[in-house]
Amino acid sequence: MTRFLSAKPDARLLPLPWSTPLANWPTDRLVALPRGISRHVVRFIKVGSDVYAAKEVIEHLAIHEYRLLTDLKRLGTPSVEPIGVVTGRVDSSGEALDPILITRHLQFSLPYRSLFHTGVRQDTVMRLLDALVVLLVQLHLVGFLWGDVSLSNVLFLRDADAFAAYLVDAETGELHDRLTDGQREHDLQIARTNMFGEFLDLEEGDMLDSSLDPLNLVTTIETRYRQLWSELTGAEEYAGSDISQVESRVRRLNALGFDVAELDIETSPDGSTLRIQPKVVDAGHHQRRLMRLTGLDVEENQARRLLNDLDTFRARKGLQHVDEAVVAHMWLTECFEPVVAEIPPELNRKRELAQFFHEVLDYRWYQSQREHREVSHIEAAKGYVRDVLAKLPDEAMSIESVVPVAGENVSDQAVHKMVNPYDPSLGYVEDEEEEPPYDPWEDAEANEDTGPEVLDMAALRARSKSKR
């Protein structure tokens, strides 16, 4: 008898054909969406207006992953939302089938192979690596030992001029009160091994820029991880007892997108030195401020950009002495809402709303420079929809986000047809006679920036010194 384990049951899932192996589900129940390499059968199923990811996996792993993802969401980490586990499945002949883990599809997200398929610039690759590093640090801060760090186990969302990374696969994870240095090093070694293989695979498929070396890329990940971890958790000593150093440290952490919940501050017996060490840090500094002021739930760098526009609005209107919450409401109704209302219904799958607003701000700046005047938000939104948005591929529930369609800007070589659009891991028609792609590292297991560079510690320190 089929059973459902779920904290948020969706009755519409009950009549689905659970007695059929997931690989054989009828296509009218499925959605063709991009996804990464997986050692399990994975399909996207559509129920009404909702899309869920379904993964066949043995029972104890399915339940373990469901509960881990539930804990991670409770802790506020970037991870997919668990919906439930379907157990007790049997086929028409009475043979037992593996349970299915169900998670909610992350709208507008893309797996790394989709981003690399049509080619990405070197700086874009570095932004992807930064997003992965930030995700790994966030997970380690809450005591999560990943155990299978790889690009394949991550989804990327556009986050202003950067990317945000979300954990997809927690099958091998463990949650602890606190990770030891050895456990963190273990995850780093796994990341180095897995991602070296993934970059080699991209290089072999001519999807990696020739200027990028796989070994240098994994070394960069390791270096940036250590820099960010040190900045967030390391102790610093200063000569004298200048308490302004405390504020300086907090500002740097805020600029990185983290709030400080607790600081350990020590002064030497003679007062000649001051030692500062963050004890508890939480990601999402700008997200929380924007949510508190406007109710908008967006990614961290998007929040930073929207807050910058809110501050500019406040200065332009001369509202410095008006309560910040009142100004935020005015900005929301006079700027943000009218701009996103310019998106035609037929184009609403191109960009998430906060990302659209960010890109309109960029368009507005360049248009103002070209025309030597201040272009309004609404005028910029109309121009962006006309000149840019209409030509972009869909990024919400669309196979076109993986497979470019023929057009005046796409070469013939770039147009491919998938062997199975519901299982992107099988590759493309021209590769039918080759072995389906697999992950050898898992096989044994059956424009101008509007804020500081995410991991540019030197720039943050220099800026901090200049303000003192």
Side-chain angles (χ1 to χ4, degrees):
M1 180 179 179
T2 303
R3 300 179 62 184
F4 287 79
L5 169 66
S6 177
K8 298 179 180 179
D10 184 343
R12 298 172 301 171
L13 293 171
L14 297 178
L16 295 181
W18 302 114
S19 60
T20 302
L22 194 54
N24 300 330
W25 271 37
T27 57
D28 63 334
R29 299 283 190 177
L30 304 178
V31 181
L33 286 176
R35 67 171 178 82
I37 295 171
S38 175
R39 51 181 169 265
H40 304 291
V41 176
V42 177
R43 294 291 185 270
F44 291 102
I45 56 179
K46 188 172 183 180
V47 182
S49 60
D50 295 317
V51 176
Y52 299 107
K55 177 173 73 172
E56 273 185 340
V57 62
I58 60 178
E59 184 167 343
H60 79 273
L61 290 179
I63 294 174
H64 171 74
E65 185 169 5
Y66 170 75
R67 288 175 175 162
L68 264 183
L69 288 172
T70 300
D71 287 338
L72 289 174
K73 293 302 290 183
R74 175 178 54 80
L75 292 168
T77 57
S79 54
V80 293
E81 178 187 351
I83 298 299
V85 178
V86 184
T87 62
R89 300 172 64 225
V90 293
D91 64 16
S92 56
S93 62
E95 290 292 321
L97 297 174
D98 281 338
I100 290 180
L101 171 69
I102 305 172
T103 56
R104 188 179 302 279
H105 170 61
L106 188 61
Q107 278 277 44
F108 295 96
S109 64
L110 294 170
Y112 82 100
R113 292 182 70 87
S114 300
L115 292 163
F116 279 93
H117 183 264
T118 52
V120 292
R121 302 188 308 273
Q122 181 174 346
D123 65 326
T124 302
V125 175
M126 293 306 167
R127 292 177 189 275
L128 291 172
L129 299 190
D130 275 355
L132 182 66
V133 166
V134 170
L135 173 62
L136 185 56
V137 167
Q138 288 179 268
L139 293 172
H140 284 177
L141 284 171
V142 300
F144 182 74
L145 179 66
W146 195 337
D148 194 13
V149 188
S150 71
L151 291 169
S152 297
N153 291 335
V154 171
L155 286 173
F156 293 95
L157 280 174
R158 298 185 190 279
D159 182 12
D161 288 326
F163 289 92
Y166 277 71
L167 172 75
V168 176
D169 194 326
E171 183 181 312
T172 58
E174 300 173 6
L175 196 57
H176 301 266
D177 291 335
R178 182 178 180 276
L179 294 186
T180 66
D181 289 344
Q183 287 172 318
R184 293 191 301 104
E185 289 298 324
H186 177 69
D187 257 359
L188 277 180
Q189 184 57 48
I190 290 173
R192 186 179 182 88
T193 303
N194 283 347
M195 285 187 276
F196 184 64
E198 288 168 328
F199 286 129
L200 285 177
D201 179 52
L202 292 172
E203 186 178 59
E204 181 67 22
D206 293 326
M207 289 187 283
L208 189 67
D209 191 290
S210 59
S211 64
L212 298 172
D213 174 63
L215 184 57
N216 287 340
L217 289 175
V218 295
T219 300
T220 297
I221 292 170
E222 189 173 353
T223 299
R224 294 189 177 190
Y225 171 90
R226 296 188 192 284
Q227 289 176 338
L228 182 57
W229 185 264
S230 176
E231 184 68 21
L232 293 176
T233 66
E236 288 183 315
E237 289 191 358
Y238 301 96
S241 56
D242 183 5
I243 202 67
S244 67
Q245 300 291 353
V246 177
E247 183 183 351
S248 175
R249 183 73 186 269
V250 171
R251 280 203 308 267
R252 290 209 315 271
L253 294 175
N254 290 165
L256 287 167
F258 291 82
D259 278 325
V260 182
E262 183 180 334
L263 281 174
D264 184 3
I265 305 171
E266 296 179 3
T267 56
S268 61
D270 61 359
S272 62
T273 61
L274 180 70
R275 183 179 183 273
I276 305 171
Q277 180 172 20
K279 299 289 286 184
V280 182
V281 291
D282 298 313
H285 170 73
H286 299 97
Q287 286 175 311
R288 281 189 287 272
R289 182 185 167 211
L290 186 69
M291 172 71 86
R292 174 175 56 81
L293 290 172
T294 67
L296 296 175
D297 187 7
V298 305
E299 298 300 327
E300 179 68 13
N301 288 302
Q302 291 170 344
R304 187 201 309 271
R305 188 70 190 279
L306 269 58
L307 287 168
N308 284 343
D309 192 63
L310 191 159
D311 291 340
T312 302
F313 171 85
R314 187 177 197 176
R316 185 187 302 117
K317 296 280 190 178
L319 302 172
Q320 290 87 341
H321 302 296
V322 178
D323 183 85
E324 187 178 44
V326 174
V327 177
H329 179 72
M330 293 175 62
W331 171 85
L332 192 66
T333 56
E334 294 181 27
C335 294
F336 183 83
E337 290 176 351
V339 164
V340 299
E342 290 296 325
I343 305 175
E346 66 273 15
L347 301 182
N348 63 10
R349 301 195 328 188
K350 305 290 187 182
R351 287 290 190 269
E352 184 270 333
L353 296 184
Q355 184 65 26
F356 171 79
F357 189 86
H358 157 74
E359 293 178 11
V360 166
L361 291 181
D362 277 349
Y363 181 92
R364 177 174 179 253
W365 187 88
Y366 285 111
Q367 194 72 7
S368 297
Q369 294 298 305
R370 283 193 295 267
E371 299 185 11
H372 305 289
R373 66 182 181 88
E374 185 174 354
V375 174
S376 71
H377 282 76
I378 295 301
E379 186 181 353
K382 293 179 183 296
Y384 181 79
V385 168
R386 179 188 64 248
D387 300 337
V388 181
L389 188 68
K391 301 174 185 177
L392 295 176
D394 288 1
E395 289 193 355
M397 295 193 302
S398 173
I399 194 172
E400 281 74 26
S401 58
V402 191
V403 186
V405 291
E408 59 183 0
N409 296 322
V410 181
S411 66
D412 290 340
Q413 289 92 348
V415 181
H416 300 293
K417 181 180 179 182
M418 283 188 167
V419 173
N420 181 354
Y422 302 102
D423 189 355
S425 67
L426 295 178
Y428 301 93
V429 169
E430 62 266 37
D431 300 325
E432 273 185 299
E433 297 181 0
E434 300 179 1
E435 288 292 323
Y438 72 103
D439 187 339
W441 306 104
E442 293 182 346
D443 190 54
E445 297 279 342
N447 41 10
E448 293 188 5
D449 294 329
T450 58
E453 285 294 329
V454 173
L455 301 183
D456 192 348
M457 309 304 174
L460 285 170
R461 291 175 183 274
R463 188 177 295 110
S464 176
K465 289 179 180 179
S466 68
K467 291 181 179 180
R468 291 203 298 269

